[in-house]
């Protein structure tokens, strides 16, 4: 027991030393472009029968990064996105709009440079939750009611739990903050439509490209609240 306690004590001391030496917290903002795709046969409910029926989405995300051991970071992010164009409803001039929000947690590993240097190339992986809402506009409800197709134009909500993989690059600007660009691909682990688990849907996978910036919060680093000295990679 004494030996175990000694080892635990060393582990805790190592974590504290690591925090003082390498840890750094930053906050950032990114703009995103998102495109949903279907892999294989993925048919949804009319009029959205394929990911090709969905417009691309644009939005923004607020991100918090906590770096540790110089080349590693954990990122928490939350964002909101809207469709760039309207969805073609395919009947009687109907149309739809899509909007959604997402939450994610990702691990970042720097292949070149480091988190504390604010410059480098990194890979990332994690999980995300996405909630998309589609609302339809029906100019002629009587016509759709007569044909029995009104049932297809009800507002719907889809939730995705996805696995994320991506790459990114960043560089220091004016020795005060960094700008970055990222590209990622997300594939669903589970999917819900209107509270019901389903196996197929046109919004199962998506690509996302983003650009943004992050700045230090003056927490961690060398223990003085200043950004660690930059090293070239």
């Amino acid at each position: 027991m004494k030996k175990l306690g000694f080892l635990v004590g060393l582990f805790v001391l190592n974590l504290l030393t690591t925090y003082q030496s390498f840890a750094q917290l930053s906050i950032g903002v990114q703009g995103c472009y998102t495109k949903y795709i279907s892999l294989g046969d993925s048919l949804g409910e009319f009029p959205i029968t394929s990911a090709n029926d969905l417009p691309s989405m644009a939005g923004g995300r607020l991100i918090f990064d906590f770096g540790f051991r110089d080349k590693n970071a954990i990122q928490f992010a939350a964002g909101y996105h809207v469709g760039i164009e309207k969805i073609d409803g395919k009947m009687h001039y109907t149309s739809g709009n899509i909007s959604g929000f997402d939450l994610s947690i990702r691990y970042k590993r720097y292949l070149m440079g480091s988190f504390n240097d604010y410059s480098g190339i990194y890979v990332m992986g994690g999980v995300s939750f996405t909630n998309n809402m589609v609302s339809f506009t029906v100019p002629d409800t009587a016509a759709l009611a007569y044909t029995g197709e009104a049932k297809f134009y009800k507002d719907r909500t889809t939730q995705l739990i996805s696995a994320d993989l991506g790459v990114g690059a960043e560089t220091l600007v004016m020795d005060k903050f960094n700008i970055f660009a990222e590209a990622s691909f997300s594939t669903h682990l589970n999917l819900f439509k209107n509270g019901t688990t389903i196996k197929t849907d046109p919004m199962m996978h998506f690509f996302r490209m983003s650009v943004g910036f992050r700045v230090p919060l003056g927490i961690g680093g060398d223990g003085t609240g200043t950004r660690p000295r930059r090293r070239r990679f």
Side-chain angles (χ1 to χ4, degrees):
M1 292 296 294
K2 290 183 179 180
K3 184 177 181 180
L4 178 61
F6 177 73
L7 292 176
V8 171
L10 286 179
F11 177 71
V12 172
L13 180 62
N14 178 65
L15 287 181
L16 292 176
T17 304
T18 298
Y19 176 81
Q20 291 296 328
S21 302
F22 298 106
Q24 182 61 252
L25 185 64
S26 70
I27 185 172
V29 175
Q30 62 182 164
C32 305
Y33 169 87
T34 304
K35 178 60 179 177
Y36 284 90
I37 64 171
S38 292
L39 299 179
D41 295 329
S42 178
L43 299 179
E45 183 180 355
F46 181 86
I48 305 175
T49 59
S50 167
N52 296 328
D53 298 326
L54 295 172
S56 300
M57 301 179 73
R61 307 178 84 216
L62 181 65
I63 58 175
F64 294 89
D65 287 83
F66 181 76
F68 60 97
R69 290 192 177 275
D70 202 36
K71 288 184 174 292
N72 307 274
I74 298 295
Q75 181 189 89
F76 300 91
Y80 181 75
H81 314 269
V82 296
I84 297 176
E85 300 175 342
K86 290 185 178 296
I87 301 171
D88 181 7
K90 302 177 181 177
M91 293 290 295
H92 299 284
Y93 305 102
T94 55
S95 63
N97 295 301
I98 183 171
S99 62
F101 66 86
D102 71 274
L103 302 170
S104 68
I105 177 172
R106 292 175 174 175
Y107 165 72
K108 297 166 61 176
R109 172 68 181 180
Y110 283 75
L111 304 178
M112 299 178 63
S114 75
F115 180 85
N116 285 357
D117 293 339
Y118 282 70
S119 292
I121 298 174
Y122 53 89
V123 293
M124 55 188 178
V127 294
S128 61
F129 169 80
T130 304
N131 184 89
N132 285 318
M133 298 149 287
V134 175
S135 58
F136 290 101
T137 300
V138 182
D140 192 348
T141 55
L144 288 183
Y146 178 78
T147 59
E149 294 170 333
K151 62 182 180 181
F152 296 119
Y153 294 91
K154 295 179 180 179
D155 296 349
R156 60 191 69 172
T157 301
T158 302
Q159 294 90 30
L160 289 167
I161 298 176
S162 303
D164 309 327
L165 291 174
V167 297
E170 61 185 9
T171 186
L172 188 66
V173 177
M174 297 186 294
D175 203 38
K176 293 185 180 297
F177 64 94
N178 84 322
I179 57 175
F180 63 86
E182 295 177 349
S184 63
F185 174 74
S186 299
T187 183
H188 84 295
L189 299 175
N190 203 354
L191 186 147
F192 308 89
K193 177 177 284 187
N194 298 326
T196 303
T197 301
I198 61 176
K199 294 183 178 180
T200 60
D201 190 271
M203 296 189 293
M204 288 200 300
H205 319 277
F206 58 90
F207 285 105
R208 176 167 288 162
M209 302 188 68
S210 61
V211 294
F213 67 91
R214 67 179 178 89
V215 295
L217 294 181
I219 301 174
D222 59 2
T224 64
T226 59
R227 190 186 64 79
R229 183 179 179 181
R230 184 186 182 192
R231 298 195 309 273
R232 300 291 178 178
F233 61 89

